[in-house]
Structure formats: C-alpha cells, structure tokens
Amino acid sequence: MASSSNALPSEFAQRAQQGGIVVTVLDVPKLDLESYIQNYKGRTRTDRLLLIAQTSTVLSVDALKLAIHETTTNGRDVQLYRDAWELLIVLAPKEPEAEFKSTWVTTTDKANRTQLHHLQAELKKYKNNLVKESIRMGNEDLGKHLEAVGELSQAYETYSKCRADVSTAKHIIEVGLHLARLAIYRRDWSAVTANVNKINGLHTDGGDKSLPTLCSILYGIAQLGQAKYPEAARSFLQVDPSVNASQYDEFISPNDIAIHGGLLALATMSRTELSGVLDNSSFRTYLELEPHIRRAISQFVNGKYSACLAILEAYRSDYLLDIYLQAHVKHLYSIIRAKCIYHFLQPFSCVTLDSLNAAFAPPGGSIDAELVKMIRSGGLEARIDAIDRVVTIPSANPRAKMQAASLAAAKNYEKEALDRIRRIGIMSAELEVRGKHKNQGFNQGTVPSRWADTSGEGGSEDYDVQATGSALTVSDLVS
C-alpha cells in the first residue's frame, strides 16, 4: 500500500520530505525479485530495479544490490552506478556493495571516452567518403555507444540522423525502433507514438510477425503513459502470443502484458466486452500467466464485485512497483471501484448504505463520501437518504421513452414524405434534367424549346418558370 511519510522508515521519510519519493510501498510484494527481473534485458532492468529500490521499503536494499551488480557487470553507465550507490549508502551503508568501486568507475569512464572519440573519427571519415550506408552505420554505432553510457538525449539525436541515409524498409524499421526505445527511456510518449507510426505497416522479408507485435506493445506503453486507457487496452489485447518474448523483453514481459491489458480492460470495457476478453484465444495465453487477473475479470463479469476488488487489492503492492503502471494504479483502481459500485446498484431501486458498506467499505469504514463524490461528478444517478440510510436509484420511465421515440419517428416520416412529394412535383412538371453528359446544361439565358410558347396559348405560363441568366427557379410546385 502507499503510505505517508509518518509511517516510513527514517531514510524514506527524509527522502519523502525532500521530494525524492512519490510512492512508497510498505507491504511485502508477492513477486520474487530475482525471478521478476530475469524477464527483462537492457537498460529497463536497471531502471526497474532503481524504481523498486525507491518505492519498496522491503525490497529496496536487495534491488540496489542487483542494480549495482547489473551495472558493473553488464553496463557502461557510470552515472547509473553512482545513483544506485548513493542510495545504497543511505539505506544500508554496511553492505559490501556500499563500498565505492573507484577503479571500475575510472576504467569504465576512460574506456567510454576512448570509444567515443574512435566512433566520432570513424563517422567523420565515412562522411568524407560520401557513402550513405557507411554513414548510416557510423551514426548507428555512435548512437548505441551513447545509449550504453547513458547519454540518452545525444543518442536520440544521433539515431535521428540515420533517417537521411536509410535505403531499405529494414533500415527504416531499425531506426524507428531505436528512436522509440530511447523515447520510452526518456518518457517522451508522444515521440514513441510518432516513431511507431512511421514503421507500423512496413513489411519485411519472410513475413515476420514480430513487428506488428512490437508496434502494439509500444503503442500500448505510450498510450498508457498518456492516460489513454481505452486505446492502451486495445493495443495490449492485440499482442500476438506466438511471438517470442525475447523480441520485446527490453520493454515489457508477457506477464506485464496480461496485467496491463487486464487492468485496462477492467477499467474501460463493458461486461460484454470483458466476456470477449476472457474468450479471446490469443489473450487467454497471457492471462494464464497471471491467473489472478483472469479471476478478477471473471468475478466482475459474474457480478461478484467485492471479490473482484479484493483480488486487485491483494496485488496492489506489486503493481505499484511496475515502471509503467505505478503512476496510474490509483486512478485505475478508482475507476474499477466506481464501475463495481455502479453495476452493484443498477438492478435495484433502493439499497441500504449498510449493505453497500458491507460490500465495498474497508473494515470499520464507510463509502458515504465516495457515493457523494460519484453522484456529484455524474458517474452515478442516485439519491442518498441520510436519515433512513438508503440509496435510491431513480428508475427510467419507459412510457416517456416510447413517446419520445414515436415523436421522433413521426417527424422523420413527415420530412421524408415532403421530400417525396417535392420529387414527384418536379418530375410531373418535367423539370428533371436528363442530359447525355453529366455536365451538359442549358445555354445561358435560354429556355428549353418544349417550354416555349410556340402556339401563343399557354406555353411557359403553365409553369411558373423564370429564366434569369443561367439559373432556373421553380416555385410553388408544392403548396
């Protein structure tokens, strides 16, 4: 659960007062840290470990140890190591990992600078030779180096320069994925969407299915980051389970797809649509990895709202440790809870507050204030009787609905009848123009010969026709 700084350990309380902590989890998560982090590769592993260290009072030290080991063993980002070390010496200064590895920092920093100068010299040589493919590869190598050492903004700019030298669809896809990955690391969600749009729909040789899956995942992450929950839910539900997780584990894991897709579906979809989610053969593969999400959706579909909320509440601590979900857990839970209360009240015309408290309120608590908030916001159409302690749901008047529908149908029929009468009048007056060519019309200022008064009797006076320039005005065909 999230907690205030009053109940935090001293180190976390101090950092919370300084604005260094946004969410703090005091409960013991259900996840196993080492098994959890093995689902990812690349920079996201260290980013997730640092987030857990900054959020969970239980797993913080273990997460920092793993982050330091990951950085010094497989990484070249000196600043990332410094961030993890500075936090560890505050939380656990007596741990062996709290000793600063000055030798590794010096050696790695020197090697990074040497490699940077070498790649810049190579790129300069390629530009002098004016070979586009070599220039593209030089920019790509330089971008990978800058990304590895933590210079994400410079890496993004370097990857962007590759666009001018791409020559095949494969190169376009590679550049787009590089830029989308960097945008995710930088939390630039609009840039993620823009770069994925440029590669979505491109085809590679061999009919590879990984690209549409990657695009769906990247869309889902970006839309979740922008709080576009319905769109994010649809994106995660479209992920193809036949694609190997190694294709996208630098962003997300199959378990995360089940959690993200399930929570977003619960928050944004109707009961009928949720039934379709359970019957979706593709997404069912992911739901099997997280059975509690499938149970929560099933409980909601079956009308067991208290059980649904209880399942989600049991895993709140785990979701607060997710790098993409953390900022949205509170809002998503409030949406799902409001949906449960709304659907709980719908079959009844009157419900006691005691029964609502028994179903939804925490032990010894009340949901009176929550109901008032829902009613004021328009999320629930009901009235609260504070004296009798009942909630009254006004029933819809079927007679009024039927009368409104009948009036609308009559008005539509009247309009259609007038249009038909007008059409009949035009045809009976022979004012319908039928030319051989669509754009063929009358000569300016003339009247067709069949309307001319050749006999001196009747003629054009039989019809109220006025020739004014090239326009013909027909009036009084319908009274």
Side-chain angles (χ1 to χ4, degrees), residues 402-424:
M402 182 191 67
Q403 291 175 347
S406 300
L407 289 173
K411 187 176 293 186
N412 185 54
Y413 177 80
E414 182 181 0
K415 179 180 180 300
E416 186 177 349
L418 286 174
D419 290 341
R420 290 179 179 273
I421 293 173
R422 186 177 295 109
R423 172 70 174 168
I424 293 172

Side-chain angles (χ1 to χ4, degrees), residues 73-133:
T73 304
N74 303 318
R76 290 180 287 166
D77 191 342
V78 175
Q79 186 57 47
L80 205 59
Y81 166 75
R82 290 181 183 274
D83 293 340
W85 173 78
E86 288 174 358
L87 185 55
L88 183 61
I89 61 173
V90 174
L91 298 178
K94 296 182 180 180
E95 293 290 336
E97 290 81 358
E99 182 179 354
F100 187 71
K101 298 182 179 181
S102 57
T103 304
W104 178 87
V105 170
T106 304
T107 304
T108 304
D109 195 34
K110 182 179 179 181
N112 289 342
R113 289 197 301 269
T114 302
Q115 181 69 5
L116 176 62
H117 294 155
H118 171 71
L119 291 173
Q120 288 175 337
E122 288 289 321
L123 179 59
K124 185 177 181 180
K125 182 175 67 175
Y126 295 150
K127 289 181 178 179
N128 291 334
N129 294 335
L130 299 177
V131 180
K132 296 187 67 174
E133 178 62 16

Side-chain angles (χ1 to χ4, degrees), residues 191-238:
V192 176
T193 304
N195 285 292
V196 176
N197 285 336
K198 294 178 181 179
I199 63 175
N200 190 23
L202 293 178
H203 299 284
T204 56
D205 297 336
D208 188 9
K209 294 182 180 179
S210 62
L211 180 60
T213 298
L214 267 174
C215 290
S216 296
I217 290 173
L218 293 173
Y219 273 134
I221 294 173
Q223 289 157 349
L224 174 60
Q226 295 172 309
K228 298 179 180 179
Y229 300 138
E231 295 86 349
R234 288 193 292 270
S235 296
F236 284 119
L237 293 177
Q238 292 172 358

